[in-house]
Amino acid sequence: MPPVVSTFIARYGVAILYFASFLLVGVVLDLALGSFLRSARLRSLSRMLSAVLRSMRGIIGLVGGLIGLWLAYTHVSSGLLDRNTANLITKWVTILSIALITIFLARLIGRFISYYTASDNTRISSSSIVTNLVKASIYTLGAAVIFWKLGVSIAPILTTLGIGGVVIGLALQPTLGNLFAGIQIVGSHQIEPGDFVRMASGDEGTVEDVTWSNTTIRKVTSELIIVPNSVLGKEPVINFSRNNHQHTMVVPGMVAADTDVLHLERVVREVAASVMATSHYTYKAAAPNFRLTATSAGGISFNTILPIISYRSEPVVRSEFLELLVERFAAEGIELARPLPPTPAAPVH
């Protein structure tokens, strides 16, 4: 073996072995953790332990390499490295440690917030904007500590940001408008994930998430509507999930003009009562109602008012009610209104 190689191995062989061994152990543990997280055994763990393990995914290998690097440095630092090189290595190992701790804490706290906001007894919204804001704060704090360790003063950076804040604010005005609108939406608790809403445009669906810039709404037909937060904050929105789990459905109808009104009311009320009793989607604590709305040569208009458990149930209850109502009308001899023939146009002289 050449003398140069022998000298290199004698000086750095153990250090390289330290680094390679711990890096290999970290990578193997990381792969094993990934396999465990994909298995069914994860379901038997508590939410807290599950959050910790998921947050460690992808970091264990880096931690192993960092420990190996530190042990290697400790081994070769005695007499082999000058003081400046040793200080430089110490600084960068410390910075890498701070970066890994910051990433781990951001992941862990983000998952804790997601698990906590998923429960029904919390007043914190489960929107991802809440988690992202907390994680951004942790990353910012970690970056500030790293700058401090590097000897970089944060004051000039803040001064520069303050001077350029006006220009940046003007350039990012739409983005910042969406961000603050999203914070207002989440903070007010008026619209949250899981709510069924109808927008001013007539589109309606279930709110899936409120992000930095937009709110995603899933329609009943599975299409995804992406609405900028600033638009959602300005336009009127009907939230059907904020009515104590009860919604009043109005079903309009129109029968022939010569129909006996009392007979009509009795039949409609009986049909409504039957649907209220048999349907799984009606609100049993309330009673249906019947209202005449207009009479004309074309027919008698009326509304049937049915209390249901939620707005999502409206298509099902409407179908159940109309099927039974048409059947009863046919049995009772009640005719539906027919459109009047068009009025002939006056002759032109």
Side-chain angles (χ1 to χ4, degrees), residues 123-127 129-130 181-200 205-211 214-217 227-229 231-242:
R123 288 299 298 160
I124 301 178
S125 173
S126 59
S127 305
I129 189 173
V130 177
I183 296 175
Q184 189 275 330
I185 291 172
V186 171
S188 64
H189 299 286
Q190 294 177 348
I191 298 176
E192 295 181 346
D195 289 349
F196 194 88
V197 299
R198 178 193 292 166
M199 296 177 293
T206 302
V207 177
E208 289 198 344
D209 195 9
V210 181
T211 65
N214 53 63
T215 299
T216 52
I217 300 174
V227 187
N229 292 333
V231 174
L232 199 64
K234 295 177 182 178
E235 295 185 351
V237 178
I238 301 176
N239 192 338
F240 294 101
S241 300
R242 301 293 170 175

Side-chain angles (χ1 to χ4, degrees), residues 32-177:
L33 178 60
S35 177
F36 176 77
L37 293 177
R38 291 189 295 270
S39 67
R41 291 176 293 175
L42 182 66
R43 301 174 183 173
S44 61
L45 302 179
S46 64
R47 282 189 170 185
M48 182 174 295
L49 182 56
S50 175
V52 173
L53 293 179
R54 289 182 182 276
S55 301
M56 294 171 60
R57 181 73 172 93
I59 297 181
I60 298 180
L62 297 176
V63 172
L66 188 62
I67 294 174
L69 181 62
W70 180 257
L71 292 176
Y73 157 70
T74 304
H75 178 75
V76 302
S77 63
S78 56
L80 297 179
L81 296 177
D82 60 85
R83 185 173 181 179
N84 292 333
T85 304
N87 291 337
L88 182 62
I89 294 176
T90 301
K91 177 189 290 186
W92 282 104
V93 169
T94 304
I95 290 173
L96 291 175
S97 302
I98 295 173
L100 289 179
I101 292 173
T102 301
I103 295 173
F104 174 73
L105 288 178
R107 288 184 178 182
L108 182 63
I109 295 176
R111 293 188 183 278
F112 280 164
I113 292 175
S114 298
Y115 286 140
Y116 175 70
T117 55
S119 60
D120 295 332
N121 58 352
T122 178
R123 288 299 298 160
I124 301 178
S125 173
S126 59
S127 305
S128 63
I129 189 173
V130 177
T131 304
N132 290 335
L133 286 174
V134 174
K135 291 171 69 175
S137 301
I138 296 174
Y139 283 127
T140 302
L141 180 60
V145 175
I146 290 175
F147 282 137
W148 173 70
K149 292 298 294 183
L150 288 173
V152 178
S153 178
I154 303 177
I157 299 177
L158 295 177
T159 303
T160 304
L161 291 176
I163 296 174
V166 177
V167 178
I168 296 174
L170 291 175
L172 300 179
Q173 187 173 5
T175 303
L176 294 176

Side-chain angles (χ1 to χ4, degrees), residues 208-225:
E208 289 198 344
D209 195 9
V210 181
T211 65
W212 293 94
S213 60
N214 53 63
T215 299
T216 52
I217 300 174
R218 180 75 63 179
K219 297 179 66 175
V220 178
T221 51
S222 298
E223 292 91 345
L224 190 65
I225 308 174

Side-chain angles (χ1 to χ4, degrees), residues 270-316:
E270 289 177 358
V271 172
S274 177
V275 172
M276 289 292 297
T278 58
S279 177
H280 297 290
Y281 305 100
T282 52
Y283 187 70
K284 310 300 182 183
N289 219 327
F290 171 88
R291 291 287 185 271
L292 286 177
T293 57
T295 58
S296 64
I300 301 174
S301 301
F302 65 94
N303 285 335
T304 308
I305 303 171
L306 298 172
I308 58 179
I309 57 176
S310 71
Y311 185 77
R312 296 183 182 91
S313 309
E314 185 170 308
V316 178

Side-chain angles (χ1 to χ4, degrees), residues 261-274:
V261 174
L262 296 179
H263 184 207
L264 170 66
E265 180 178 357
R266 179 180 60 82
V267 171
V268 172
R269 286 186 180 274
E270 289 177 358
V271 172
S274 177

